Amino acid sequence: MNKPPKTLTNSKSVAMAQPPCSVEQYYLGVDVGTASVRVALVTRTGLVKATAEEPIRIWEPSPGHYVQSSDDIWGQCCRAIRKVTQAVEKVQIRGIGFDATCSLVVLDAHFEPVAVNRDGLRDHNVVMWMDHRASEQAARITATGHSVLHRMGGTMFLEMQPPKLLWLKENLRETCWDRAAHFMDLPDFLSWKATGSLARSLCTLVCKWTYCPQDGWDSSFWRTIGLEDLLADNYAKIGQLTCCPGTPLGAGLTLQAAADTHLEAGTAVAASLVDAHAGGLGVIGADVKGFRLPCEDRPMTSRMALICGTSSCHMGISQKPLYVPGVWGPYFSAMVPGLWLNEGGQSATGKLIDHMVEGHTAFAQLQALADESGEGVYSYLNKHLETMAGGSGRLAHLSTNLHIWPDFHGNRSPLADPTLRGMVIGLTLSRTLDDLALLYLATLQAIALGTRHILQTMGEAGYDISTLFLCGGLSKNTLFVQTHADVTGLPIVLPCQTEAVLVGAAILGAYASHDYVSIQDAMEKMAKVGKVIWPNPELKSFYSRKYRVFLQLADHQRAYASLMRD
């Protein structure tokens, strides 16, 4: 009988020198994205004082296989940390928080890299989050109907770790699986590298590995999918010790990590988060007093964090577990300790917008005009649409006869159907810049209608969301944000600091340093409201009709697929 993994509590204090009261105190937020490492120097009040960025390498040894090097990632983290802290004293850095993509790191018994591809290159030991080699394994796991899938909306997705692990066992048994002693999510690898602690964050284990905080690992699941060897030594390969995000790990920075980063040994290091969850942490807990928002004087459960970039994540939190069809979760303490998390998502948002715009015949003309005006492509398009509308205030109505179903890369939420594909209804023979602009507008509206679909499904399961908190690259596009407000009918809060993900990671470090009594306390003090975007009530009827069309598109696509099967 395997014992459940132990839980690390926030009872350990980190021995650090205290800076004089007159000296500014800082926290480091370290964000490892898909192609780069970013680090921010953040004050006690959440102000980003400095940032640094370093690229990280990506290899594609086979179609659909994307790998990285954990040594390269750690080296670039240290380089960026050294850059961002060069103008401050070591003693001013109170704590460090890491977030990263949900990529899979493989190490041997000596904590050396193990190759994850047939090329056998040892330092290529990270299976990236966007790696799609394990699609067959994911489908087989879903087909088991195991009870753990109930917490994932009923579907095992490629972004999660069990399919990747199963692929490694089935395809690289001798060169990888048998040699591996540690399988880690990238966020946990970073905190281990900094502290030597093998404690895993509940964020990664619960959201990406099927772990349940109340019951531990479900041995029947791993046996069912053919990975029973992971049960050995009380799950030593995938995690024996767990903790809430923000929990201080070990004795802080090890001597080696301190030397690598040029910081003080013992500096507090927090249990980490997946990158999107750090964005949620950086916005959802902001103090909204004085902005007359409907979520004021209501619990945090009335808010949704929308992290929108290449893809989008929709994060809601609740006091009790809520099961939402097609939405991941409920996950306990996966983002905010003590609260349940549900995570919806759209597989392609920023990527879809780029695809629609850059693939149009008039894109070269658009690029030239944008360059001539000194604006970005999307700023230019937004203004061009205003010109097309003639200042009538009816910009949204330009797409009355153009409708898009946005799941060009499958539907993650709330239908959880990877077989769905994109649809465009209302095309003409036009190849003009106006035609491109209309497709762009209809794409923004379709993405926002997808958010409305997720909100409706979560509402039917018990959520009562009254305010959206946006961050990420797309939150800088004014038309994208306004369209989301108009389509959902909800006010949107934009953060004061545009780098909300980095602030979220820094919040972890602030809590780990014991400078705040709770994650919620740190969120309220460090996350700030920058701007509020209100919905236009005059568009309510238009978008209600547009939404009805939107829902019918999915029904029609499935009906067409059924006809072709028959």
Side-chain angles (χ1 to χ4, degrees):
M1 183 75 178
N2 288 290
K3 297 179 181 178
K6 296 179 181 178
T7 301
L8 183 67
T9 61
N10 188 16
S11 60
K12 192 178 291 185
S13 59
V14 179
M16 287 180 59
Q18 290 280 351
C21 295
S22 60
V23 175
E24 183 89 74
Q25 297 178 359
Y26 297 107
Y27 313 100
L28 296 181
V30 183
D31 167 51
V32 178
T34 298
S36 68
V37 171
R38 298 184 306 147
V39 179
L41 185 70
V42 183
T43 70
R44 188 180 175 89
T45 58
L47 177 65
V48 176
K49 297 288 285 187
T51 60
E53 184 170 4
E54 294 291 337
I56 50 179
R57 301 183 67 185
I58 300 172
W59 294 272
E60 188 182 5
S62 303
H65 293 214
Y66 296 96
V67 300
Q68 291 180 312
S69 162
S70 61
D71 286 345
D72 176 56
I73 292 169
W74 176 250
Q76 295 300 72
C77 284
C78 295
R79 183 186 296 270
I81 288 172
R82 292 194 299 266
K83 280 186 178 180
V84 86
T85 58
Q86 59 187 352
V88 300
E89 298 295 327
K90 294 179 182 181
V91 72
Q92 292 178 265
I93 308 300
R94 296 281 300 149
I96 306 170
F98 291 95
D99 75 76
T101 63
C102 53
S103 299
L104 176 66
V105 181
V106 184
L107 304 173
D108 67 15
H110 303 289
F111 295 96
E112 294 296 327
V114 176
V116 294
N117 268 318
R118 292 187 176 92
D119 56 24
L121 295 176
R122 189 176 64 86
D123 60 332
H124 294 187
N125 68 314
V126 180
V127 183
M128 291 186 67
W129 68 272
M130 62 184 186
D131 187 293
H132 279 191
R133 71 180 73 181
S135 56
E136 179 194 345
Q137 286 76 12
R140 291 194 339 242
I141 294 172
T142 297
T144 67
H146 195 280
S147 60
V148 301
L149 299 176
H150 189 41
R151 300 192 297 271
M152 300 178 173
T155 304
M156 177 60 67
F157 283 81
L158 285 169
E159 293 91 342
M160 297 174 182
Q161 306 303 2
K164 296 183 175 76
L165 293 167
L166 188 55
W167 189 95
L168 292 175
K169 180 177 180 179
E170 292 178 345
N171 293 273
L172 299 175
R173 181 77 185 239
E174 294 182 1
T175 59
C176 176
W177 187 258
D178 290 344
R179 293 185 56 211
H182 303 280
F183 296 105
M184 297 183 184
D185 227 276
L186 182 54
D188 291 321
F189 165 81
L190 296 171
S191 59
W192 164 75
K193 194 71 175 175
T195 67
S197 171
L198 287 171
R200 313 297 177 95
S201 171
L202 285 177
C203 179
T204 58
L205 287 197
V206 172
C207 296
K208 306 301 177 184
W209 295 71
T210 76
Y211 182 81
C212 176
Q214 292 82 2
D215 303 321
W217 295 110
D218 188 326
S219 59
S220 69
F221 169 72
W222 298 106
R223 290 192 179 99
T224 298
I225 68 171
L227 293 179
E228 61 281 348
D229 25 359
L230 293 178
L231 278 61
D233 299 324
N234 194 27
Y235 301 93
K237 289 187 177 183
I238 58 175
Q240 295 177 320
L241 185 64
T242 67
C243 59
C244 289
T247 303
L249 296 176
L253 276 183
T254 63
L255 290 172
Q256 182 60 57
D260 292 343
T261 58
H262 295 182
L263 297 176
E264 282 198 339
T267 302
V269 177
S272 55
L273 284 171
V274 174
D275 52 357
H277 299 73
L281 205 67
V283 294
I284 201 169
D287 183 357
V288 299
K289 289 184 177 63
F291 290 91
R292 296 184 298 170
L293 287 162
C295 65
E296 185 173 348
D297 297 323
R298 295 186 62 195
M300 205 186 305
T301 53
S302 65
R303 309 176 182 191
M304 171 182 279
L306 174 50
I307 298 87
C308 40
T310 303
S311 59
S312 292
C313 291
H314 303 67
M315 299 190 178
I317 51 179
S318 59
Q319 296 282 356
K320 61 181 182 180
L322 298 176
Y323 292 88
V324 187
V327 173
W328 296 349
Y331 300 139
F332 186 67
S333 290
M335 185 170 76
V336 181
L339 295 177
W340 296 84
L341 170 71
N342 285 95
E343 181 185 346
Q346 294 165 295
S347 299
T349 47
K351 188 174 181 64
L352 175 62
I353 295 168
D354 291 343
H355 173 78
M356 299 296 281
V357 171
E358 294 173 7
H360 195 280
T361 305
F363 178 69
Q365 178 190 2
L366 169 64
Q367 185 73 69
L369 290 169
D371 290 345
E372 184 180 328
S373 68
E375 295 181 287
V377 164
Y378 295 114
S379 295
Y380 187 90
L381 273 178
N382 292 348
K383 290 184 178 179
H384 187 77
L385 284 166
E386 290 175 2
T387 301
M388 290 175 64
S392 64
R394 294 178 62 82
L395 186 155
H397 292 263
L398 293 173
S399 68
T400 295
N401 297 312
L402 185 61
H403 308 283
I404 292 177
W405 179 261
D407 292 326
F408 284 52
H409 198 53
N411 182 280
R412 181 179 146 190
S413 299
L415 301 179
D417 186 350
T419 69
L420 285 174
R421 293 296 178 259
M423 302 169 70
V424 183
I425 306 297
L427 291 174
T428 71
L429 291 175
S430 172
R431 299 194 297 176
T432 65
L433 180 60
D434 284 0
D435 178 65
L436 188 163
L438 289 177
L439 275 172
Y440 163 68
L441 172 62
T443 301
L444 297 187
Q445 292 171 331
I447 293 169
L449 289 163
T451 291
R452 179 167 171 170
H453 196 191
I454 292 170
L455 281 166
Q456 177 184 324
T457 306
M458 293 179 70
E460 291 168 353
Y463 272 93
D464 184 18
I465 304 295
S466 65
T467 309
L468 300 180
F469 289 70
L470 263 63
C471 67
L474 288 177
S475 69
K476 300 170 187 175
N477 183 325
T478 56
L479 185 57
F480 178 90
V481 175
Q482 186 64 59
T483 301
H484 265 73
D486 295 337
V487 167
T488 63
L490 299 178
I492 289 177
V493 174
L494 297 177
C496 180
Q497 300 291 319
T498 57
E499 302 293 356
V501 173
L502 289 168
V503 172
I507 285 172
L508 296 175
Y511 174 57
S513 72
H514 298 294
D515 289 344
Y516 289 97
V517 297
S518 66
I519 287 283
Q520 289 89 329
D521 182 36
M523 291 166 67
E524 185 174 342
K525 301 296 194 308
M526 296 177 69
K528 299 287 193 302
V529 175
K531 189 176 182 180
V532 176
I533 308 297
W534 296 92
N536 181 353
E538 295 180 2
L539 293 174
K540 182 177 180 180
S541 175
F542 172 75
Y543 278 123
S544 291
R545 298 193 302 275
K546 194 90 170 169
Y547 185 53
R548 289 199 295 272
V549 173
F550 178 83
L551 295 178
Q552 287 187 28
L553 289 177
D555 292 338
H556 289 175
Q557 181 175 160
R558 285 172 160 172
Y560 303 154
S562 178
L563 284 171
M564 296 308 295
R565 284 194 300 271
D566 296 340

